[in-house]
Amino acid sequence: MWIERRALAAELPAVASLGTRPLAETLASLGFPVDAIEARPGTEVLDVDITANRGDAMSHRGLARDLAARLQQPLAVLLPSPVAEGEPQLPVRLLARACPIYATALLTLGKGRTPEMAQAFLTALGAAPKLLPAVDASNELLHRYGHPTHAFDADRIRGAVSVRMARPGETLVTLDGVERKLSPEDLVIADEGGPIALAGVMGGEGSKVTAKTRRVLLESAWFEARTVRATAHRHGLHTDASQRFGRGADAAMVPVARDLLIHRLEDWSGATLEGAWTAGAMPPPPSTVDLPKELLTRVAGEPLHLAEAAKALKALGCTVEAEPGHLRVLPPTWRHDLTLPEDLAEEVLRLRGYEHIPAVLPPLEGPPQPLSRDYLQRQALARRLAHLGFHQTVTYGFVSPEMDAAFPGPRGEAADEDRAGRTLTNPLGLEYSILRRSLVPSLVEVAKQNLKQGQREVRLFEIAPTFRGLSRGPVETWTVALVWAGERWDADPESKAGPVMAKHLLGTLKDVLKSTNQELAIHPIEDGAFLVAEFPIQAFRTPDDRIIPAFTPHSRFPAVERDLSLVVPATLTWQAMHDAVWIALVGTVLVDVACADLYQGKNLPAGTKAWLLRLTFQAMDRTLVGAEVDAWVASALNAAESLGAQLRA
Amino acid sequence: MDHLLPPEIADADRAFPEALAACGDLDALLRLKGAYIGREGSHAARLMDLLKAAPKEQKRDLGAAINGLKNRWEEALKARQAEVEAARKATGAQLWDKSLPPPLPPRGALHPLNRLMDRLVDVFRPLGFHVEEGPEVETEAHNFDGLNIPADHPARGSADTFYLAGHPGLLLRTHTSPVQVRTLKNLAPKILEMGGIRFLAPGRVYRKDEIDPTHSPMFHQVEGMLVGHDIGMHHLKGTLEYALRALFGPTTEIRLRPSYFPFVEPGCEVDVSCPLCGAKGCRVCKGSGWVEILGAGLIHPNVLSLAGIDPAEWSGWAFGMGVERMAMMLSQTPDLRLFFENDQRFLKAMGGLD
């Protein structure tokens, strides 16, 4: 909200002697940060941030009130001479609870124009003057005092005026020229021909003041905040008026704003007052709130005197009664946000300045809680992968339908099974419309982009939730995905870079997953240009919470290695060989079976390959002798031969 | 006694040294070993058969001859194996041009946003804070109602919040604050034995913002919350002063300014003295010496009540911080989108690994 310095000083003369920078700092320390300061002809304007709870501060007068309380300086008199009310000039009926009071007046306009000063004020705030005194004065009052008013062309009003809820099927062309279909929840001002204004939001085109207008009917009313917010939201019509009524207007301003508007029209245009009157009565005032001393002390962090608190609250317009141990506080009519003792404590601290709050570390009242297993596991996984040369990515949780279809995800279900349950109602666009079931398509996109940027090798991983659309809603599973693409590049000029092979990624997976019970699968994407793996992260399988596991003894006697050079069928799996040898040597001191060398080539019979099988034996209690080892090696060979292996000649 | 051996064995023995020398690798050596001293079909095996069939009076001499031969072959094979292995090692050594830099092991990186969140957790751990997490798909009850956000608050609109088709009450959480609601509810029954509640909630959140240099529909927040007896603004200030000094350095000053969030009362914005210029005034702090870093306040009594915690006995504070905003400020990264592009060069340089 723009605030013009001179207009602020008109409400609080003490501001005139305050530099713009100190003024901005004072406003910020009161909770109204200044986003920008700009020069205007002969003055400066400040762009002040007003939080949603402070509708009362959305004007020069409103900010001046808080500044006056802080600076302990008097405000200017608001309304020197109230207008004497008379008989209603036309009937005004209040038919809805949302409008308890409606002050009005009928005036005949004169020939005068909007004064230069008022034009300059509106221009400085970025509100173009309309050069129609009734419109400009209403506008100027809103910015200066915060209470929205409206002027109707009295000669275009048909019969009695009522404030009521709209009837089904009613429409209204608002000032912006748009025809609005009204809802029975919209509060309207109506004449006998139908709605002429959306109450608290915008006037109607049909009754607006123009250059031809001779007589005006003024409106200064109080509309319930919730009703105005709903109507503004329903019609997407957020106006200066709706923002102020929507945050709660000051009912006490109803007659005052009307009188100020009358005075302006008399001064500016030479208007003559036909009569001023008010329909309805003031809404009930805010309730009193108690501020106990203990609560104030707790919030403030140090004992504050109730007398000091009372002084601050009075400065903000509250009526305060001191009672033993607490204050009884009646908030002013403009402060709808003061409903709890905490609200009052905040006001006391705010006026005092948050810089006076002491800084104290809260004492521990119980034992610190450990970090969860799941969290620690993910942290460890990310670190391990990074140490293995992978780069952690962060990609969006939603993807396009095409990307969603591109990869089955860690659980392998078909995309169309549950996609409906993962679809957003209001996505930014189709490309961000589905909660992803797999991280892989996003990772592959990123990998492609990196290759395009000239990276020789791309190693990426992401740890994020994937989604499954169930009938009760999407369910999330923490998932890790890896992609490895490009050349395997180890930066060694003496060894050759080669294509990344599945075994490299598999080795990484085995490394990071050794303590989990996952089935490992590598998926080649685009003919193996991208090797990916993805799996849900399960909790660590730690049977033992000991910091150091139970002791396992190791042998101090020498190990014996024996090699068998075997020709085996090309179709034989290592797992089969490994298991067969182990089974054959159950009960021996076999400690390892490894493939020490692999040979595949022309020298071998078709359909075969050669493995150098390396058996390691080691006893816990003695040095092994050749004969016993020979016998075990013979058994191993028998087992291998039963799988079609032959000793290589 | 060698005259007792058959001529083909004598030939084989003569050919042995050359065959041995020809074995350039372990595999060839093993094959030679098989041929000479293997259990079946080898020269040694043939000799053993010969020995069995030999007349009794020759057995001793022949046995000695065979043993001698076998031992010689075995030892030669063993020696050659050692040579081959040594040669293999030596080859590696010769190939190393010592003037070249040594190859480094591969080195990846954590994402800078994750690193920053991890750092925040590290800073709060000594104060007894643990980590709580919640789902990204949330209910309106957790995301709004439980946080004292009015039913007609504009943030609930479909212009600001992503909703799930087919599940009218479900949305993508717009802040990490629903983790407050979940955690308070979960821990309410044992709050007394735990001696209050204190936790951080880092995570991803979603708002319907078009992608541009300062906006993203997905970003990260870290939420902090503490509940205890007689908790006031001084505790919030004390904790944040400690934490922000741990992050930005011991000379860092913090400043609280009144502000408003529906789920706290009193509420405040927290500024730190600009860590880039030492509060002298620069582009990042727009010359003011201060940078806005997070929003905070004392937990609104309604939030505690809604979670089943008696606000007359318990009180607390909460804060929420934008991770990207802080990362951009600290690193002066000019464009938010860089964090989601995931260029490896960016990740290596900005995220790295400790």
Side-chain angles (χ1 to χ4, degrees):
Chain A
M1 186 186 66
W2 289 104
I3 288 293
E4 194 256 324
R5 264 200 70 112
R6 281 182 314 197
L8 192 61
E11 301 306 315
L12 180 64
V15 165
S17 58
L18 207 59
T20 303
R21 192 99 215 183
L23 172 62
E25 273 163 23
T26 308
L27 283 168
S29 78
L30 285 164
F32 306 108
V34 176
D35 289 342
I37 300 170
E38 286 182 17
R40 294 281 188 273
T43 186
E44 276 175 314
V45 288
L46 290 77
D47 185 9
V48 184
D49 243 10
I50 314 279
T51 50
N53 60 327
R54 292 299 305 273
D56 68 289
M58 292 184 76
S59 68
H60 291 70
R61 182 80 183 184
L63 284 176
R65 271 195 300 247
D66 268 41
L67 284 168
R70 165 64 69 79
L71 301 172
Q72 302 182 10
Q73 295 292 326
L75 286 165
V77 174
L78 180 57
L79 175 65
S81 48
V83 172
E85 294 204 329
E87 287 304 304
Q89 302 288 305
L90 82 160
V92 174
R93 299 189 190 105
L94 305 187
L95 305 175
R97 194 186 39 79
C99 177
I101 184 166
Y102 195 99
T104 182
L106 190 67
L107 293 99
T108 302
L109 295 178
K111 300 272 182 232
R113 301 180 54 233
T114 306
E116 295 295 335
M117 282 289 283
Q119 288 187 39
F121 172 68
L122 288 172
T123 307
L125 301 181
K130 300 284 187 298
L131 301 179
L132 299 167
V135 176
D136 292 338
S138 169
N139 215 356
E140 189 242 9
L141 278 177
L142 176 137
H143 290 289
R144 213 179 272 275
Y145 301 112
H147 194 83
T149 54
H150 187 65
F152 297 98
D153 185 329
D155 296 319
R156 293 164 78 183
I157 291 176
R158 297 147 293 184
V161 169
S162 55
V163 186
R164 58 168 171 85
M165 304 315 288
R167 296 180 184 125
E170 279 187 330
T171 59
L172 170 70
V173 178
T174 40
L175 279 176
D176 53 6
V178 178
E179 188 184 71
R180 313 272 169 183
K181 291 195 174 64
L182 302 181
S183 140
E185 285 156 46
D186 289 330
L187 183 68
V188 295
I189 319 300
D191 64 11
E192 287 169 14
I196 55 171
L198 261 180
V201 180
M202 194 179 264
E205 181 71 18
S207 58
K208 77 171 176 187
V209 169
T210 66
K212 293 185 184 133
T213 300
R214 301 284 316 281
R215 297 192 314 147
V216 290
L217 181 72
L218 304 186
E219 166 192 295
S220 175
W222 189 88
F223 303 116
E224 187 192 52
R226 196 166 357 132
T227 306
V228 173
R229 276 204 302 270
T231 293
H233 182 70
R234 192 159 32 245
H235 297 286
L237 203 54
H238 299 280
T239 60
D240 284 337
S242 76
Q243 276 169 14
R244 285 164 177 82
F245 279 120
R247 296 179 187 194
D250 178 6
M253 278 299 286
V254 167
V256 176
R258 191 254 335 252
D259 291 0
L260 288 167
L261 187 50
I262 292 170
H263 290 325
R264 272 169 174 66
L265 293 184
E266 287 170 343
D267 292 350
W268 294 7
S269 114
T272 46
L273 177 65
E274 309 286 333
W277 70 103
T278 298
M282 294 286 266
S287 317
T288 58
V289 184
D290 277 359
L291 176 60
K293 188 167 171 31
E294 313 85 79
L295 185 132
L296 180 63
T297 301
R298 164 175 73 79
V299 172
E302 59 184 330
L304 292 185
H305 289 297
L306 280 183
E308 192 193 335
K311 194 178 157 207
L313 292 168
K314 280 180 190 160
L316 288 166
C318 298
T319 310
V320 183
E321 280 174 52
E323 294 190 13
H326 71 272
L327 299 177
R328 259 189 107 64
V329 180
L330 177 67
T333 49
W334 57 89
R335 289 300 298 270
H336 304 283
D337 58 320
L338 304 181
T339 59
L340 297 172
E342 285 82 356
D343 298 327
L344 298 178
E346 176 178 50
E347 290 307 291
V348 174
L349 294 192
R350 191 171 67 88
L351 215 56
R352 198 165 160 254
Y354 278 14
E355 68 272 19
H356 297 296
I357 297 169
V360 178
L361 279 174
L364 264 181
E365 297 181 43
Q369 302 294 307
L371 293 172
S372 75
R373 282 258 166 103
D374 286 1
Y375 175 77
L376 286 174
Q377 185 194 7
R378 266 181 274 127
Q379 298 298 102
L381 181 59
R383 277 190 166 62
R384 183 68 191 133
L385 285 169
H387 278 294
L388 287 168
F390 287 78
H391 301 79
Q392 185 175 32
T393 66
V394 171
T395 55
Y396 289 157
F398 28 54
V399 295
S400 66
E402 294 75 35
M403 274 173 85
D404 188 54
F407 194 77
R411 290 161 302 270
E413 62 271 335
D416 44 7
E417 273 175 26
D418 71 331
R419 181 178 297 166
R422 295 183 283 117
T423 303
L424 296 181
T425 312
N426 55 334
L428 272 187
L430 206 55
E431 55 183 320
Y432 306 116
S433 59
I434 317 280
L435 291 180
R436 60 185 173 180
R437 61 191 175 131
S438 167
L439 310 179
V440 167
S442 318
L443 268 189
V444 170
E445 274 312 298
V446 173
K448 279 185 188 165
Q449 207 52 43
N450 270 292
L451 289 173
K452 206 180 281 178
Q453 289 292 321
Q455 298 286 299
R456 304 187 70 136
E457 181 180 23
V458 178
R459 292 194 216 190
L460 305 169
F461 75 100
E462 181 153 354
I463 295 176
T466 53
F467 299 85
R468 233 176 332 158
L470 300 185
S471 57
R472 64 174 191 277
V475 169
E476 295 161 43
T477 312
W478 278 103
T479 302
V480 59
L482 298 87
V483 59
W484 199 338
E487 284 179 323
R488 196 164 51 86
W489 181 250
D490 61 5
D492 185 353
E494 286 150 11
S495 71
K496 282 177 196 149
V500 176
M501 291 195 284
K503 68 177 178 183
H504 301 129
L505 186 53
L506 207 49
T508 303
L509 290 188
K510 279 211 120 136
D511 178 282
V512 298
L513 296 175
K514 54 182 172 276
S515 53
T516 71
N517 192 16
Q518 303 276 356
E519 202 174 303
L520 305 180
I522 306 293
H523 309 277
I525 288 189
E526 301 192 2
D527 290 334
F530 302 90
L531 294 171
V532 304
E534 179 172 47
F535 42 87
I537 304 173
Q538 295 177 342
F540 273 138
R541 287 191 314 152
T542 37
D544 202 337
D545 264 334
R546 281 198 257 191
I547 296 167
I548 300 172
F551 173 65
T552 34
H554 54 271
S555 172
R556 299 203 176 262
F557 295 90
V560 175
E561 271 183 13
R562 289 294 181 85
D563 290 347
L564 287 171
S565 183
L566 299 173
V567 177
V568 300
T571 52
L572 185 64
T573 67
W574 171 251
Q575 192 68 44
M577 172 64 80
H578 177 267
D579 294 351
V581 170
W582 271 103
I583 289 164
L585 295 183
V586 166
T588 71
V589 294
L590 179 70
V591 291
D592 189 40
V593 179
C595 179
D597 197 17
L598 164 71
Y599 180 76
Q600 288 166 300
K602 300 193 282 256
N603 307 350
L604 293 175
T608 66
K609 58 190 172 186
W611 282 338
L612 184 61
L613 193 68
R614 180 162 293 166
L615 308 171
T616 308
F617 301 94
Q618 190 173 30
M620 295 298 295
D621 53 352
R622 65 200 150 88
T623 302
L624 298 172
V625 295
E628 59 183 338
V629 177
D630 285 347
W632 295 331
V633 173
S635 307
L637 183 58
N638 278 338
E641 282 168 349
S642 71
L643 295 173
Q646 284 183 310
L647 261 188
R648 221 174 140 191
Chain B
M1 282 172 278
D2 290 355
H3 63 276
L4 293 175
L5 301 173
E8 66 270 28
I9 296 289
D11 288 348
D13 187 33
R14 267 193 296 280
F16 182 70
E18 199 181 326
L20 194 63
C23 289
D25 59 36
L26 225 49
D27 197 42
L29 200 62
L30 276 164
R31 268 180 277 138
L32 190 71
K33 190 175 172 182
Y36 275 83
I37 55 171
R39 239 165 20 107
E40 278 170 40
S42 69
H43 299 308
R46 293 237 335 269
L47 286 170
M48 291 314 282
D49 295 343
L50 206 65
L51 186 62
K52 273 181 208 156
K56 208 174 177 181
E57 65 277 13
Q58 279 187 10
K59 267 196 180 166
R60 229 188 88 183
D61 288 350
L62 188 59
I66 289 169
N67 260 342
L69 199 57
K70 255 180 82 179
N71 284 342
R72 200 148 45 75
W73 288 344
E74 233 163 52
E75 267 160 37
L77 280 162
K78 205 178 268 177
R80 180 67 188 141
Q81 186 172 342
E83 270 174 40
V84 167
E85 276 169 7
R88 198 165 59 175
K89 279 181 197 148
T91 316
Q94 276 163 7
L95 270 180
W96 180 24
D97 177 348
K98 286 180 182 146
S99 69
L100 290 173
L104 296 173
R107 191 175 168 77
L110 296 173
H111 195 279
L113 297 174
N114 286 298
R115 261 198 106 174
L116 185 51
M117 288 191 287
D118 293 353
R119 180 84 184 98
L120 281 162
V121 172
D122 290 347
V123 164
F124 278 88
R125 280 299 285 156
L127 299 187
F129 284 67
H130 68 282
V131 171
E132 290 283 348
E133 293 173 297
E136 293 179 6
V137 175
E138 264 295 3
T139 60
E140 272 187 89
H142 285 134
N143 197 73
F144 295 124
D145 302 345
L147 290 164
N148 200 36
I149 296 173
D152 63 352
H153 196 280
R156 293 182 183 241
S158 60
D160 290 340
T161 301
F162 292 114
Y163 284 88
L164 269 290
H167 298 283
L170 294 183
L171 46 81
L172 292 184
R173 64 178 179 187
T174 59
H175 43 188
T176 41
S177 306
V179 182
Q180 288 185 14
V181 179
R182 286 174 174 273
T183 307
L184 289 178
K185 274 189 191 165
N186 282 344
L187 301 183
K190 42 182 176 175
I191 185 169
L192 198 58
E193 65 187 80
M194 289 178 66
I197 296 169
R198 39 179 84 189
F199 66 88
L200 289 192
R204 310 197 303 176
V205 302
Y206 297 83
R207 283 185 204 171
K208 200 174 168 187
D209 286 325
E210 294 286 346
I211 300 168
D212 70 24
T214 54
H215 293 88
S216 166
M218 186 189 89
F219 56 100
H220 296 74
Q221 282 188 338
V222 174
E223 191 89 0
M225 180 171 252
L226 178 142
V227 182
H229 287 102
D230 291 322
I231 298 301
M233 291 295 278
H234 53 311
H235 292 129
L236 173 64
K237 197 172 183 179
T239 311
L240 291 177
E241 192 175 84
Y242 152 77
L244 295 169
R245 281 182 181 166
L247 280 172
F248 300 124
T251 57
T252 303
E253 292 298 327
I254 74 165
R255 179 172 82 172
L256 272 54
R257 284 183 287 106
S259 190
Y260 170 72
F261 308 98
F263 33 98
V264 289
E265 187 67 49
C268 60
E269 298 272 6
V270 179
D271 300 337
V272 286
S273 53
C274 182
L276 293 168
C277 64
K280 287 182 188 68
C282 67
R283 204 171 45 82
V284 171
C285 60
K286 293 182 195 135
S288 73
W290 295 98
V291 186
E292 188 182 315
I293 203 91
L294 54 88
L298 298 188
I299 304 168
H300 197 287
N302 291 355
V303 171
L304 290 172
S305 303
L306 287 167
I309 293 172
D310 180 7
E313 183 183 355
W314 299 95
S315 45
W317 54 247
F319 72 80
M321 178 158 65
V323 180
E324 279 81 355
R325 184 193 164 85
M326 190 156 151
M328 284 175 82
M329 189 267 287
L330 283 175
S331 61
Q332 300 187 65
T333 301
D335 193 323
L336 178 56
R337 292 171 292 194
L338 286 162
F339 288 98
F340 305 106
E341 245 170 41
N342 299 295
D343 188 294
Q344 273 188 180
R345 294 165 293 182
F346 174 85
L347 296 174
K348 245 189 227 308
M350 308 290 292
L353 189 57
D354 33 35

